[in-house]
Amino acid sequence: NITKEQFQTIQGMRRIITRKTSKNRVYIFSGLIVCGECGGRMAAHVNTNQESFYYNCRSHYFNRSGCQNKSNLGERRIEKYLMGTILKEMERRKVEAEKIFELQQSHDYSGEIAALKAKSRKLKDLYLNDLITLEEYKRDHDSFNNRIEALLKEQKNRTKPNFEKAEKILAQSWETAYSSLSQEKKQEFWRILIKEIRIYADKRIEYDLNL
């Protein structure tokens, strides 16, 4: 069962504007799904039996871009796929992010920054001794400074990937907790975890985590 902490985590997430029809329908993947072929936003619809939802490419059905993606993928199928792959995908992302972070940590820019500063000082001497023009001095000086600023910014922005929020949501027995959520809360749940879902003409599904 869902713990009090898990419940509070889901309840306390940022408020998401829920898209509804006149009959108060809530499409849980509304706004998240794009066409894998043309990149256009996919629209949500209700089946003729009024009991299930599906998504398709607006650009294809309205002939806006010549998109050939005529997939009509059901919401339950997408939901089942995400539930079956989200943990594995998060673990893959964690391993990938850790490797990138370790690689960044092993790359020390201090030597390159020192060399660029030395070149900048030498550049000033060349200008003062009339060996280069003012235009050449300004051009190269700006180039060196821009590179130094970029390297310093990259060093400063190195942060260890944090998966704590996602791990709390996807804790043990999360599927049971998820099944008890309302459509609105399910929509909020996926918006917290997923940045974008792509559906292709062969009905293949890909997605990016919101981490």
Side-chain angles (χ1 to χ4, degrees):
N1 294 333
I2 189 170
T3 65
K4 183 179 179 181
E5 183 183 15
Q6 288 172 310
F7 179 76
Q8 289 176 340
T9 299
I10 294 173
Q11 295 289 82
M13 294 298 179
R14 67 183 186 280
R15 189 173 185 82
I16 302 296
I17 297 175
T18 304
R19 193 173 167 189
K20 300 180 181 180
T21 67
S22 58
K23 292 187 178 182
N24 208 38
R25 297 190 187 102
V26 178
Y27 303 112
I28 62 178
F29 300 116
S30 178
L32 285 179
I33 302 181
V34 299
C35 174
E37 308 296 336
C38 72
R41 191 68 59 186
M42 295 188 96
H45 308 274
V46 62
N47 284 334
T48 52
N49 60 15
Q50 302 293 305
E51 292 180 358
S52 59
F53 307 142
Y54 67 97
Y55 299 80
N56 61 28
C57 179
R58 284 186 262 192
S59 294
H60 170 74
Y61 285 97
F62 286 99
N63 297 314
R64 291 175 181 168
S65 64
C67 180
Q68 299 302 307
N69 189 354
K70 53 185 178 182
S71 294
N72 290 280
L73 215 58
E75 186 169 273
R76 290 174 188 167
R77 177 173 172 176
I78 299 168
E79 183 180 33
K80 183 178 179 181
Y81 177 79
L82 293 178
M83 291 183 72
T85 60
I86 190 77
L87 284 176
K88 186 176 180 181
E89 180 62 17
M90 190 176 76
E91 285 303 313
R92 186 191 70 79
R93 276 290 308 277
K94 282 177 68 176
V95 171
E96 183 182 81
E98 287 286 350
K99 286 181 178 178
I100 293 172
F101 180 70
E102 288 174 9
L103 185 62
Q104 289 175 333
Q105 291 297 97
S106 67
H107 198 148
D108 185 5
Y109 292 121
S110 57
E112 187 176 351
I113 291 171
L116 286 166
K117 287 181 177 179
K119 285 181 180 180
S120 185
R121 289 192 296 270
K122 186 177 181 181
L123 198 66
K124 184 177 180 180
D125 292 336
L126 290 173
Y127 171 65
L128 292 175
N129 289 310
D130 294 325
L131 296 174
I132 59 172
T133 65
L134 178 60
E135 185 179 86
E136 290 172 321
Y137 169 75
K138 286 182 177 179
R139 181 195 64 206
D140 292 342
H141 181 266
D142 288 346
S143 176
F144 293 151
N145 273 357
N146 288 340
R147 178 59 180 163
I148 289 170
E149 286 178 11
L151 292 174
L152 289 172
K153 184 178 180 181
E154 187 171 332
Q155 282 190 330
K156 183 179 179 181
N157 290 339
R158 288 176 182 173
T159 55
K160 193 173 181 64
N162 187 349
F163 291 83
E164 186 177 340
K165 182 187 290 185
E167 286 173 338
K168 281 183 178 180
I169 294 173
L170 298 174
Q172 189 175 10
S173 302
W174 71 271
E175 296 97 331
T176 302
Y178 176 83
S179 65
S180 67
L181 295 176
S182 65
Q183 285 289 96
E184 289 88 348
K185 288 301 177 183
K186 284 182 177 181
Q187 184 191 67
E188 186 174 345
F189 177 93
W190 291 117
R191 283 175 179 257
I192 291 166
L193 289 174
I194 292 180
K195 184 184 297 183
E196 180 182 274
I197 302 168
R198 293 175 297 281
I199 295 176
Y200 294 85
D202 59 1
K203 298 190 176 181
R204 177 165 44 94
I205 303 170
E206 291 182 355
Y207 59 93
D208 298 324
L209 296 181
N210 195 24
L211 301 169

